[in-house]
């Protein structure tokens, strides 16, 4: 089968399409015939060597939408089931950007019925990151939350999920994104920030760090969505990183919210798997509103 991999670290040009064996599911695993999967900044980080692995073949891709192809018993899935899943961590040698991928059965959820596979393939990583970040913040309805990067993938999901929970959301993004951020459910918008201590919590999807920490009230909460990027907290502010984890039950809840119209899945452009290097180059340009998606 074909898979997008890197064997040396660098820019988009190091991404190659390799012929590799079809993986076999083990106990409580399923093999998914991949229909689509989003390209995310974490894939660019893997490609650049941020996670290490020099001298190894590194597979790319964390998001998958597709169809169950084979099951390692016991697993509560059947061949032909349309599903989505998170392929967590840096994969050696295979990730989700391949024709087939094997995942633990507990990472899988039935695919949304209301969207196609290209859109469904944008949900797992960013949706779970936003949901798990909100769990860490643990805000009650009526609390004030500022989301940085509110026009992006994680930030956009966070705005929608928080607003659905009755949280008052301030969306922080570029001025040109105000209409988009408000359409996602933000009660307020800012391109410049807010006064010191003006909100109960910040979900820092844009990785602003210290400046965003200033906006949290004394005793509030701050969650950063990039591993290891967390400013030193002060004034009793609780600070945490969200370490995204595969969770089929949480993913199923996100799917339910997609089908209920609560969550919006945004696709900027789809590329054939053979165009993976081109898609990486587009990601490096920045500015896409919606995910780039690879289609085997």
């Amino acid at each position: 089968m074909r898979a997008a991999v890197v064997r040396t670290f660098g820019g988009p040009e190091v991404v190659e399409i390799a012929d590799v064996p079809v993986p076999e599911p083990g106990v409580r695993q399923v093999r998914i015939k991949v229909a689509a999967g989003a390209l995310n900044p974490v894939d660019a980080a893997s490609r650049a060597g941020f996670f290490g692995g020099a001298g190894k073949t590194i597979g790319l891709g964390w998001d998958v939408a597709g169809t169950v192809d084979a099951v390692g018993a016991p697993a509560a899935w059947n061949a032909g089931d349309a599903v989505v899943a998170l392929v967590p961590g840096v994969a050696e040698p295979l990730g989700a950007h391949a024709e087939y991928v094997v995942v633990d059965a507990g990472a899988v959820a039935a695919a949304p019925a209301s969207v196609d596979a290209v859109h469904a393939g944008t949900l797992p990583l960013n949706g779970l990151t936003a949901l798990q970040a909100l769990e860490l913040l643990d805000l009650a309805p009526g609390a004030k939350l500022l989301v940085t990067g509110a026009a992006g993938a994680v930030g956009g999901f966070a705005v929608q999920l928080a607003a659905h929970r009755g949280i008052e959301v301030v969306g922080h993004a570029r001025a040109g994104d105000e209409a988009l951020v408000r359409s996602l459910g933000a009660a307020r918008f800012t391109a410049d920030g807010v006064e010191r201590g003006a909100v109960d919590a910040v979900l820092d999807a844009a990785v602003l760090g210290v400046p965003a920490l200033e906006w949290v009230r004394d005793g509030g909460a701050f969650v950063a969505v990039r591993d290891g990027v967390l400013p030193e907290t002060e004034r009793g502010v609780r600070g945490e990183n969200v370490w995204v984890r595969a969770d089929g039950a949480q993913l199923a809840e996100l799917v339910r919210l997609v089908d209920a119209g609560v969550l919006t899945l945004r696709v900027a452009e789809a590329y054939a798997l053979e165009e993976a290097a081109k898609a990486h180059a587009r990601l490096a340009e920045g500015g896409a509103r919606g995910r780039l998606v690879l289609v085997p």
Side-chain angles (χ1 to χ4, degrees):
M1 72 168 190
R2 299 166 302 145
V5 303
V6 293
R7 293 189 172 98
T8 60
F9 299 135
E13 71 281 353
V14 304
V15 179
E16 58 182 286
I17 304 301
D19 289 320
V20 298
V22 176
E24 295 296 331
V27 175
R28 295 184 180 86
Q29 291 185 319
V30 299
R31 185 172 68 206
I32 300 171
K33 180 176 174 57
V34 179
L39 175 64
N40 291 288
V42 68
D43 297 308
S46 295
R47 183 200 73 219
F50 182 82
F51 301 108
K56 300 178 180 179
T57 297
I58 304 296
L60 301 171
W62 290 50
D63 284 319
V64 58
T67 306
V68 174
D69 173 71
V71 176
W77 298 98
N78 299 303
D81 289 342
V83 295
V84 289
L86 176 68
V87 182
V90 179
E92 301 174 15
L94 294 176
H97 294 162
E99 292 182 290
Y100 295 89
V101 67
V102 167
V103 299
D104 291 340
V108 178
S114 58
V115 298
D116 60 20
V118 171
H119 285 79
T122 68
L123 178 64
L125 175 60
N126 295 295
L128 285 170
T129 300
L131 178 61
Q132 291 169 12
L134 286 173
E135 285 190 334
L136 289 174
L137 290 170
D138 192 25
L139 298 174
K144 293 182 179 180
L145 168 67
L146 188 144
V147 178
T148 72
V154 172
F157 283 138
V159 170
Q160 291 186 306
L161 289 168
H164 182 65
R165 296 180 176 192
I167 296 166
E168 181 182 335
V169 180
V170 181
H172 180 274
R174 297 183 306 184
D177 288 320
E178 179 173 0
L180 169 61
V181 172
R182 288 188 180 276
S183 76
L184 297 173
R188 295 173 53 199
F189 175 86
T190 179
D192 302 317
V194 294
E195 295 178 357
R196 179 182 171 94
V199 296
D200 297 302
V202 164
L203 195 164
D204 191 17
V207 198
L208 298 185
V210 172
L213 182 64
E214 291 293 308
W215 303 331
V216 181
R217 65 167 173 81
D218 294 0
F222 181 99
V223 167
V225 303
R226 185 177 297 174
D227 294 348
V229 181
L230 184 65
E232 185 175 348
T233 56
E234 57 185 24
R235 299 180 288 111
V237 175
R238 174 173 56 86
E240 297 189 63
N241 278 113
V242 58
W243 302 82
V244 67
R245 65 188 185 279
D247 188 314
Q250 287 187 333
L251 188 52
E253 173 61 13
L254 292 171
V255 167
R256 186 189 70 78
L257 293 174
V258 169
D259 285 337
V262 174
L263 292 181
T264 304
L265 303 180
R266 296 177 287 152
V267 173
E269 191 171 355
Y271 295 81
L273 182 63
E274 289 80 1
E275 299 179 299
K278 180 180 178 181
H280 275 255
R282 174 65 187 90
L283 180 66
E285 293 173 3
R289 287 296 173 254
R291 274 291 172 245
L292 309 175
V293 180
L294 294 178
V295 179

